[in-house]
Each structure stands twice: as C-alpha cells, then as structure tokens.
Amino acid sequence: MRWPSLFPGLCFLLSLSGDVAQTPKATCPYCPSNASCVNSTHCTCNHGFVSGSKQTFFTFPLETCDDVNECLPPFSIYCGLNAECQNTEGSFHCRCVPGYELPSGDTEFKNLSENTCRNASAFRMDESKKELQRIIDQFETLLTNNTLWQMGKKHEVASTATSILRDVELDVLNTALKAPEQKVQKVQNSTVAIETRVVTDNCPEEKKTFSLEAQMNSLDIHCHDIVQGSMQGPSAVAFISYSSLGNIINASFFEETGEKRRVYLNSRVVSAAIGPKRNTSLSKFVTLTFQHVKMDPGNKKAFCVYWEGTEQGGHWSRDGCFLKHMNGSHTVCDCGHLSSFAVLMAFTAQEEDPVLAVITYVGLGLSLLCLLLAALTFLLCRAIQNTSTSLHLQLSLCLFLAHLLFLTAIDRTEPQALCALVAGALHYLYLAAFAWMLLEGLHLCLAARNLTVANYSGTNRLMKWLMFPVGYGVPAVIVAISAASHPHLYGTPDRCWLSLDQGFIWAFLGPVCAVFCVNLAFFLSVLWILKRKLSSLNSEVSTIQNTRMLTLKATFQLFILGCTWCLGVLQVGPAARAMAYLFTIINSLQGFFIFLVYCILSQQVRKQYQKWLGEIVKPKSESETLMLSSKFGPDSKPSEDK
C-alpha cells in the first residue's frame, strides 16, 4: 500500500508547512519543509539544503531537509581579506569583519568579487577630511564672490557674514563628530585653516586644557567645557581662522561711540565653537592668542572683540572679552563665551602729535603758496623756459595738487567710494611727483656730465623723449594694476589712503624706494663729478662759477629729489621722535625748497621779478607825478598874502 493512502490526513496537515514549488499540493506526495515535489512521485531538498539520508530524491515521509553550512568544509566559502562567511538558512553571505566596512554602507555582499572591505576608522577619517576640505573650498568660493560682498548694503553684508560663520562652524563640528576616532584634524587652504579636537570620554587628568592652532593664532580651552558635563557620546571643539574675512567685516562694523574712526583690524578673524550642544556658558575663560597683521604696533591700545549676530546683521562687540597681554607681535585675550562668533582684535589708530599736526599743515600751506608762485614763474618767465623749466613745472603741479588734496580730503572717509577715489588720486599724484623727481635727478646728472664731456649733446632730446611717458605714464600703470587687483584696499576707516592689509602699501613704497635709491646714486655721481671739476687748476673762471652754482643746486636738490624720505625709515628706537619731526618739517617744505632753488637763487628769475616789480611800481610813480604836475603846473600861481 502506498504511503499517501495510509496517512492521508497526516500528509495533508504536514504538507501545509512544506515548500511545494513545482507541483500543486493536491497532487504532491508528502514532502518535508525546505523540499519540493518532483513529478508527483518523489521529493527533493531545495538548494542550500540536504536530506538526512543524503539522497537527492526520496519518498520516505519522515525524511528531513537540513541546512547546508557553506562556510564550513567541504565548502568553506572564501570571502576575501578582512571579510568572513556568514551562514544563513538555505544560503550564506559575506560580511566585513569588525573594524571594517563597505564604502557603500551595506552590511553584506555575495562573494569574493564584491569584497570592498576597508578599515572603518580610516575610511571615516578620510571621508571626514574630505568633508572638511569641501567646507573650506565652499567658503573660499563664497569669499571670492565679489558680487555678494560689494553690491550688498552694509546690513546685508553683516547678515550674510553671520550666516556663513554659523554654517561653517556647524558643518565643521558635525564633520568632526562623524569620525570620533580621529582625535585631531587639520585642514587648510589659502583662505581658511581649521583644527578640530574630539573628546570621547571623561577628561584625563593629564589633559585639562586643550590647545588648538590655525594660521599662527591659537585657542586654549578647558576640557570640561568641551565635554559639557554629563553629556553622553563624543564632544568636539573647532577652531577656524579666516585669512581675509577681515577685509569684508572690517573695523567699520565696530560701532562703539567715539571709536569707529580710530580703529582697524590687526589680526585675522577667528572662530571657536563646541558641540554637539552649542550656545553653552563656559566654566572658565578661553584664551585666544592672535598674531598681529601689522607688527610692532607701538603704544597703540588694543581691544579684544567678537562678532555678535543681530537682527540687523551683526557687528563687533567687546562684551565678555578682555585684553590679557600684548607685545609687538601678539595679543592675548580672555573671553567668557563661545558660539558662532568670530573673535578678533582691534587697535586704536596712533594718537597724533598736535605739534607735528601743526607743522604739517603750516608747512604744506607754505609749500602750496610757494609751488603756486613757482608754477606761475615757470609759465610766465620766457627767459628761463627750457627742458629744465618744464621738469620743474610738472613737479610743482603734481606736488601742488597732491598737497591740496591731502589737506582737504585725507580725513573724509565717508562715503567709502569717495574715500577710495581720493586715495587712488593721492596714490597717482604722489607717484607722479616722485617720477618727476626721478627725471629731475637724471637731468641734474646729465648736466653735471656736460661739464666734463666736450660737445656733449642729446641731453634735451633724451629728456623730451622720456618726460611725459615716465612722469605720467609709469604712475598711471602702477595705479591701474593696483586698483584692478585690490580695489577694496583703497581707503581705510581713518584715512583716505592705501590700506596696510596684504602689504598693499608697497604699491606706493616700492616705487618710492626705487626713486630714492636711483636719485641718491645720481646725487653722489654729481658730487663726484663736481669734486673732480673743482680740483682742476686749468678751469676757466666762468666754468668754476658754473660748477660752484651746480654744486649748490645739487645740495639743495637733496631735499627736492625726495632723498629726505629716508628719515621716515629711521623713526625707530630712542631717536624716533626726533626723526619724525625732521621728516615732517623737511618734507612738508618741499615746495618751499623748489621755489627757493629754482626761482629765488636763479639770477634770470630775479631779474624777471625786478622787471615785473618795476612795471608795477612805474605806473604808480607816473600817476603820482602827473597828479602833482597838474596841481602845481607852470600856469598856476600861488596866492598872495593880504
């Protein structure tokens, strides 16, 4: 008798839990779990299972299909390095061993060919570093977006800066917390430098304070303020330094009464934040050390300030930040709070010496009068008009316009666009003046050489060819390049002049130093030529007189050719005050020296002055004589006494 007919009820009940894949249950014999019916006559175990009797086909109703462990012999599936075989009911899969993971985030894979297991900690650290790099690259893109910063109103710029500061802090903290195995991370490019620290447990006794550094600035913070009490899980602190953000949220956002026009940023903007819980009070002050942008600030006063976001955008504030120490290169501040604020330092502008201010204004006023008289003389006195006079005239005009603009507009810092225009005009006029000083020195050297070279010619032709391209063209090129590359550095909060940021002042000092060196070489060359000429015993009297006059002019030219600007370099140490007075007196009287040397000491000019004076006095004398003759003429008779 067949098994199905003997146990029809049992077959039906047990078959409910079976796996009938190929034939409807009504036509299948009894098959155990994980088995299938074949031709309605036999059972076979499904893939991944094997019968207890090891037979492929069976009809015994109590047969079982057991799971095959592919991870053990004789199969021993190999999943590759850093992976292991994991058996499942009827199948298997591969998975990475503890400490390793798949880049895709999946937890399992099928076979050796799909093995991409990598060190989980190294992978997270690598991803974390890439994420930090992405953050600073994104910030650099925002920072170089001139439309974003230059076209917006002041409160819009402040609001945008506040949002960016907070977003960067939040992204950096989240990135650091994603890879707590990476205790310290440092990332830097030309715009931003970041250092993060992660604390995964209680503060160790030997590490009560953490120090972070970015772009020569540093932060010292107590470990308990990072861990934030009884918070579970890792905590992080981020320290970020921004190279040029201070050019955007500059000292004009420092709105304390009486200070706005007298401060400037003298450090990079830095930002400090702790997470994951933010906006917390600190148990102890954090210490911030800033490297000065402008070294050796002298006796200037320092302020430690932070960026405070407001509904109107944001501004610099001193609340909760205090000056701890300052030297020539660094300033140390203590602050009682951290959040999304940026901490920086502001110095008051150097207090002006009232005596030097008076000397400057009186000297420049006298120079303006002398330069005007000299220019009129060079224009109207035909007897002295030549190449040399043309050089004197252009130098006088440039200095006159530069001094006039300096006296009237150097302190007019509002509106900012007008201040930048004034700074650019002063830059050009003073460079043009130095260019003409260079041409004056060249002409003087050629004139001295003319005393020793027989039939020397071509001096005037050379000077006429060089005059205007050098005198006005070269300064125009320098100013155009400077304005195109750094337009925002024209004008400062307290002066309409070139900013000291990024060494931009060398757009003026560089050409000035070059002119100074060349003119000093010309001057020494002239003195050497004149010394040899005066020592000659065979010189004619007229030549000796010309040589002595040229020597006198050369000595005065020392002041005219800008060589006294070297006194500005000597304003250091104990003699700084004396050098400052000498520098101010001599250079503010530059116009007076031009009038003295080229007009008063010129015999031809003196004769012209006498002629002009005679023409003014003569009509007056003739009119007085005419009046007297009309009153006491020959026909008039004195009255007789009665």
Side-chain angles (χ1 to χ4, degrees):
M1 184 176 289
R2 299 175 60 186
W3 286 110
S5 62
L6 289 175
F7 305 102
L10 181 62
C11 178
F12 173 75
L13 290 174
L14 292 176
S15 66
L16 291 177
S17 61
D19 187 3
V20 181
Q22 300 179 8
T23 306
K25 295 179 181 179
T27 60
C28 285
Y30 162 69
C31 291
S33 298
N34 303 313
S36 301
C37 179
V38 180
N39 296 326
S40 300
T41 58
H42 295 82
C43 296
T44 183
C45 292
N46 295 334
H47 181 73
F49 295 87
V50 64
S51 66
S53 62
K54 307 302 180 183
Q55 295 180 357
T56 304
F57 300 97
F58 56 87
T59 58
F60 183 62
L62 298 180
E63 187 72 80
T64 60
C65 289
D66 303 319
D67 174 60
V68 176
N69 192 339
E70 293 88 348
C71 300
L72 296 176
F75 301 98
S76 300
I77 299 296
Y78 179 64
C79 292
L81 293 175
N82 306 317
E84 60 185 6
C85 178
Q86 184 77 33
N87 184 60
T88 60
E89 187 176 5
S91 184
F92 73 96
H93 62 256
C94 295
R95 64 186 305 162
C96 299
V97 299
Y100 289 81
E101 62 185 19
L102 298 172
S104 63
D106 295 334
T107 58
E108 58 187 56
F109 54 95
K110 295 180 179 179
N111 49 53
L112 173 64
S113 63
E114 296 181 2
N115 184 347
T116 55
C117 294
R118 58 187 298 176
N119 186 284
S121 177
F123 173 68
R124 283 195 294 270
M125 289 189 292
D126 184 59
E127 289 298 308
S128 177
K129 192 166 186 178
K130 288 181 179 178
E131 180 64 16
L132 287 178
Q133 188 66 49
R134 184 196 63 79
I135 292 170
I136 65 175
D137 290 343
Q138 185 178 19
F139 176 80
E140 186 173 35
T141 302
L142 287 172
L143 197 64
T144 55
N145 187 348
N146 294 330
T147 304
L148 178 66
W149 303 111
Q150 296 179 2
M151 302 302 292
K153 297 180 180 179
K154 187 174 180 179
H155 71 276
E156 294 174 344
V157 171
S159 180
T160 303
T162 300
S163 298
I164 290 177
L165 284 169
R166 289 175 176 171
D167 290 343
V168 170
E169 289 175 0
L170 183 61
D171 289 344
V172 169
L173 285 172
N174 289 339
T175 302
L177 290 169
K178 287 179 181 177
E181 305 89 354
Q182 183 76 345
K183 301 294 185 182
V184 180
Q185 292 193 71
K186 294 185 179 183
V187 182
Q188 180 174 352
N189 66 2
S190 60
T191 305
V192 187
I194 298 173
E195 180 174 350
T196 62
R197 296 286 181 96
V198 177
V199 181
T200 56
D201 49 17
N202 293 330
C203 296
E205 288 296 327
E206 69 276 9
K207 197 68 176 178
K208 294 183 178 180
T209 301
F210 286 89
S211 295
L212 293 86
E213 182 177 344
Q215 293 179 336
M216 306 305 293
N217 304 304
S218 65
L219 166 73
D220 293 335
I221 183 170
H222 199 277
C223 180
H224 289 298
D225 287 323
I226 302 175
V227 175
Q228 303 178 43
S230 59
M231 259 192 67
Q232 299 297 320
S235 300
V237 56
F239 186 59
I240 310 165
S241 178
Y242 304 92
S243 297
S244 54
L245 185 60
N247 296 330
I248 298 172
I249 48 174
N250 52 37
S252 64
F253 291 89
F254 185 53
E255 300 176 351
E256 293 190 20
T257 305
E259 299 291 346
K260 181 177 178 181
R261 290 180 176 270
R262 300 192 298 111
V263 298
Y264 65 94
L265 299 187
N266 199 34
S267 75
R268 290 184 172 92
V269 178
V270 301
S271 181
I274 51 179
K277 186 179 179 181
R278 309 185 69 205
N279 298 322
T280 59
S281 59
L282 301 177
S283 62
K284 295 185 178 181
F285 281 98
V286 294
T287 300
L288 294 142
T289 303
F290 299 91
Q291 185 183 52
H292 296 166
V293 173
K294 180 182 179 183
M295 296 297 176
D296 193 15
N299 59 354
K300 298 177 184 179
K301 185 179 180 181
F303 296 107
C304 299
V305 299
Y306 76 100
W307 183 257
E308 182 178 10
T310 64
E311 293 181 357
Q312 292 75 30
H315 62 272
W316 295 116
S317 172
R318 290 194 289 172
D319 295 341
C321 289
F322 309 96
L323 176 66
K324 185 176 181 180
H325 174 69
M326 182 183 72
N327 57 29
S329 60
H330 290 81
T331 290
V332 181
C333 302
D334 279 346
C335 288
H337 51 75
L338 286 179
S339 61
S340 60
F341 306 143
V343 183
L344 62 118
M345 180 178 57
F347 284 122
T348 58
Q350 187 175 4
E351 296 183 1
E352 294 184 357
D353 188 333
V355 178
L356 283 178
V358 171
I359 292 174
T360 299
Y361 283 99
V362 172
L364 290 181
L366 178 61
S367 284
L368 284 174
L369 176 61
C370 291
L371 288 169
L372 179 61
L373 293 175
L376 291 174
T377 300
F378 300 144
L379 283 171
L380 300 177
C381 187
R382 295 184 178 180
I384 62 170
Q385 289 181 352
N386 51 35
T387 302
S388 179
T389 308
S390 298
L391 294 173
H392 306 336
L393 174 61
Q394 301 303 325
L395 175 59
S396 300
L397 290 175
C398 289
L399 283 177
F400 179 83
L401 294 175
H403 290 345
L404 182 63
L405 189 61
F406 181 91
L407 286 176
T408 57
I410 189 67
D411 295 326
R412 298 183 181 274
T413 57
E414 297 293 341
Q416 187 176 359
L418 181 60
C419 180
L421 185 62
V422 170
L426 284 172
H427 187 199
Y428 175 74
L429 288 173
Y430 277 119
L431 283 183
F434 273 94
W436 288 105
M437 291 177 198
L438 177 65
L439 292 169
E440 288 273 11
L442 175 61
H443 188 264
L444 179 67
C445 186
L446 293 176
R449 186 185 176 192
N450 195 29
L451 295 173
T452 61
V453 179
N455 298 324
Y456 180 77
S457 61
T459 300
N460 290 338
R461 185 168 61 254
L462 175 64
M463 294 307 301
K464 288 180 179 179
W465 183 79
L466 286 175
M467 280 173 53
F468 290 98
V470 174
Y472 291 119
V474 173
V477 171
I478 295 174
V479 174
I481 294 174
S482 302
S485 59
H486 300 87
H488 59 284
L489 296 182
Y490 276 100
T492 66
D494 56 336
R495 289 287 187 274
C496 294
W497 185 233
L498 278 64
S499 173
L500 299 177
D501 295 342
Q502 303 178 29
F504 188 63
I505 189 64
W506 284 99
F508 174 72
L509 292 181
V512 167
C513 290
V515 171
F516 162 72
C517 294
V518 174
N519 273 350
L520 186 61
F522 284 156
F523 176 73
L524 296 176
S525 177
V526 168
L527 291 183
W528 175 255
I529 293 173
L530 296 179
K531 177 180 177 297
R532 293 177 57 191
K533 193 66 179 176
L534 286 172
S535 63
S536 176
L537 299 177
N538 299 323
S539 299
E540 298 178 357
V541 174
S542 59
T543 304
I544 293 176
Q545 292 176 346
N546 291 337
T547 304
R548 288 176 176 172
M549 178 56 68
L550 195 57
T551 303
L552 180 62
K553 283 190 174 184
T555 303
F556 278 106
Q557 285 267 39
L558 182 69
F559 304 100
I560 296 171
L561 299 181
C563 294
T564 51
W565 277 64
C566 65
L567 296 173
V569 181
L570 301 177
Q571 294 183 36
V572 293
R577 190 174 184 84
M579 290 297 138
Y581 273 89
L582 284 175
F583 176 80
T584 304
I585 293 171
I586 294 174
N587 287 286
S588 64
L589 293 175
Q590 200 170 24
F592 169 75
F593 290 127
I594 290 175
F595 182 67
L596 176 66
V597 173
Y598 297 137
C599 296
I600 302 301
L601 296 181
S602 173
Q603 186 177 4
Q604 288 179 303
V605 175
R606 289 200 305 271
K607 287 181 179 180
Q608 186 65 48
Y609 285 163
Q610 292 173 359
K611 180 180 178 182
W612 287 339
L613 185 61
E615 291 176 354
I616 294 173
V617 174
K618 184 177 180 181
K620 183 177 180 180
S621 300
E622 290 178 352
S623 62
E624 290 178 353
T625 303
L626 182 59
M627 290 177 61
L628 290 174
S629 63
S630 62
K631 186 174 182 180
F632 302 104
D635 297 333
S636 63
K637 296 180 180 179
S639 59
E640 297 178 356
D641 295 336
K642 296 184 180 179

